[in-house]
Amino acid sequence: MLITTYTQANETEIRKKIIEKNKCIPKNIVVQTWFSFLLKHGARPFQGVLFEKKIKGLILVNSQSGQKGSTRAGQPIYFGEKKEFEQHYFSNSQKIYSDKLSKFVFRCNERSKGNVIDRISRIYSHIFVDEVQDLAGYDLDILRLFFDCKSTILLVGDPRQGTYSTNSASKNRKFRKANIVNFFTDQIGNLAKDDTSLMVNHRCNQPICELSNKLFPKFQATTSSNNTQTEHNGVFYINEENIDDYIKKFQPIQLRNDRKENRIRENCQVMNFGEAKGLSFDRVLIYPTKPILNWLKDNNTTLAETSRSKLYVAITRARFSVAIVNDEEKTGSLIPHYKFNTENQPQK
């Protein structure tokens, strides 16, 4: 049985949950990141059908790889696959670019007449792909091939959490992130779909669910099964001057959009929004960007899809409380400000 997911953080979380339940990872279960899986079972065993040299590893890239120059106007020029195969896929040290890995595996499967997928299906009778909304480009073509093999395939994902993508390729671009739902409805036939099981949120309490539901009103709203009462439940604003006291009292995990955020406190754990995906915490403290804060004040304000996904991930990491840094106190706000001189805070 294979369980695969994009990020190392989520791979670690999956391992942790399996060990908590079984005291170990059973011998019949393999947990790997998506890139590790493709490299081990797709690229390396069949590299000879495309490439005479040995693949010496993987280079993680955040944008299109294989740039060979630029035009006078500054537009990048990239190595082509047909005439400049090696430079297209590999660095000078013969490491394959992460954004080309699934494409390379797909080409290996083509050249070997389906032997890549056939071998994988003989190794793993069951393949589980978590955070499937993170897959993009030729990854989706690999998924399509999975559904034609002998293995049982189970995909789990939440289109609202489309904060990352495995690559930025133009291939299958219309199915990226939240739009991956359309890939399965349009491209995969006879696919059994479960839209109800994940509508119950076992992590977040109801006030947190209610806020997160507003980010994607077209999706079915989630409800909470977490009825645990603590000294501090709900969603709150916190003034910047009270951050230190709030952290001291509640020990939240700090979540930020990126490393440019300068309000964080170094004495408390901090993560970027996307890095926190798949993780759970009792409490989070969110440093919002200006567009996010504007949306929180007025849900009718325009907010980019990626920002919505990042905020959704940040909010839904918390079991009991979400605090959001905001100095503007406004009468009638749906999110109350936390006051240290008030013993019983409203659970909103």
Side-chain angles (χ1 to χ4, degrees):
M1 177 187 299
L2 169 70
I3 303 175
T4 183
T5 187
Y6 173 36
T7 66
Q8 289 183 331
N10 201 41
E11 179 205 24
T12 300
E13 189 71 6
I14 291 171
R15 289 179 180 275
K16 178 182 175 182
K17 290 179 179 178
I18 293 175
I19 292 172
E20 286 177 354
K21 188 169 184 177
N22 299 282
K23 308 302 180 184
C24 67
I25 296 180
K27 292 182 179 180
N28 67 325
I29 296 178
V30 174
V31 183
Q32 281 186 313
T33 63
W34 179 249
F35 286 153
S36 295
F37 161 66
L38 290 180
L39 191 62
K40 181 176 181 179
H41 292 292
R44 281 188 164 136
F46 293 91
Q47 60 187 350
V49 301
L50 294 178
F51 187 57
E52 294 180 356
K53 300 177 183 179
K54 184 178 180 180
I55 298 175
K56 294 185 178 180
L58 179 74
I59 289 184
L60 294 173
V61 295
N62 295 320
S63 58
Q64 185 174 345
S65 62
Q67 183 176 346
K68 67 177 179 180
S70 302
T71 65
R72 291 182 177 180
Q75 296 298 315
I77 301 173
Y78 297 97
F79 290 109
E81 181 182 15
K82 291 184 178 180
K83 295 183 178 181
E84 301 157 314
F85 180 90
E86 184 171 343
Q87 295 94 329
H88 178 75
Y89 282 103
F90 300 94
S91 68
N92 292 335
S93 57
Q94 292 175 225
K95 292 183 178 181
I96 192 167
Y97 296 117
S98 62
D99 65 325
K100 306 280 179 57
L101 180 56
S102 58
K103 182 180 180 180
F104 186 87
V105 172
F106 185 81
R107 296 285 187 245
C108 286
N109 190 68
E110 283 183 325
R111 186 68 63 87
S112 67
K113 298 181 179 180
N115 284 339
V116 174
I117 300 301
D118 179 67
R119 178 179 179 272
I120 291 171
S121 68
R122 285 186 281 109
I123 295 173
Y124 299 115
S125 61
H126 293 74
I127 299 175
F128 298 90
V129 182
D130 192 27
E131 302 287 7
V132 71
Q133 76 279 349
D134 293 343
L135 303 190
Y138 276 89
D139 295 329
L140 302 188
D141 291 272
I142 299 294
L143 290 183
R144 186 188 288 109
L145 293 173
F146 280 171
F147 281 100
D148 291 329
C149 76
K150 298 177 182 179
S151 301
T152 298
I153 311 298
L154 177 63
L155 311 177
V156 179
D158 185 348
R160 294 165 293 194
Q161 296 191 43
T163 58
Y164 285 138
S165 287
T166 51
N167 60 75
S168 58
S170 59
K171 178 76 171 178
N172 293 315
R173 182 175 294 277
K174 65 180 180 179
F175 300 126
R176 289 170 64 85
K177 298 182 179 179
N179 293 321
I180 197 170
V181 173
N182 299 328
F183 171 77
F184 297 113
T185 56
D186 297 349
Q187 303 288 316
I188 307 295
N190 300 319
L191 179 66
K193 186 170 65 170
D194 179 0
D195 290 326
T196 59
S197 295
L198 297 182
M199 290 301 99
V200 177
N201 190 318
H202 301 289
R203 177 192 295 133
C204 310
N205 59 26
Q206 190 58 34
I208 297 173
C209 286
E210 289 174 1
L211 177 59
S212 64
N213 287 336
K214 293 177 181 178
L215 281 161
F216 292 92
K218 293 183 179 180
F219 285 82
Q220 183 178 343
T222 60
T223 58
S224 174
S225 66
N226 176 6
N227 297 314
T228 303
Q229 293 298 314
T230 72
E231 62 173 323
H232 183 52
N233 276 27
V235 180
F236 306 88
Y237 285 134
I238 182 77
N239 289 329
E240 187 173 349
E241 65 180 10
N242 293 328
I243 289 176
D244 290 323
D245 290 335
Y246 188 87
I247 288 176
K248 182 177 180 180
K249 184 175 179 65
F250 296 114
Q251 296 296 304
I253 301 298
Q254 299 177 102
L255 298 179
R256 63 188 178 188
N257 183 60
D258 55 38
R259 295 180 182 275
K260 296 178 182 179
E261 175 58 59
N262 58 14
R263 294 172 292 178
I264 63 165
R265 301 313 196 250
E266 298 294 342
N267 62 337
C268 186
Q269 184 178 356
V270 59
M271 304 179 75
N272 290 353
F273 293 155
E275 292 173 335
K277 189 165 65 170
L279 305 181
S280 299
F281 309 107
D282 285 350
R283 311 184 189 284
V284 300
L285 172 61
I286 296 173
Y287 297 89
T289 62
K290 186 175 181 179
I292 285 176
L293 187 56
N294 288 339
W295 180 87
L296 288 166
K297 295 175 183 178
D298 179 0
N299 298 162
N300 294 317
T301 301
T302 300
L303 185 63
E305 182 180 297
T306 299
S307 294
R308 286 179 183 268
S309 293
K310 287 182 177 182
L311 180 58
Y312 183 89
V313 167
I315 291 170
T316 56
R317 296 313 91 199
R319 297 184 182 93
F320 307 123
S321 67
V322 174
I324 302 163
V325 178
N326 174 25
D327 282 340
E328 181 182 340
E329 298 191 37
K330 186 176 180 180
T331 303
S333 172
L334 295 177
I335 301 177
H337 266 74
Y338 182 83
K339 301 294 185 181
F340 281 91
N341 59 353
T342 303
E343 293 184 2
N344 297 315
Q345 294 296 320
Q347 296 182 15
K348 188 68 177 175

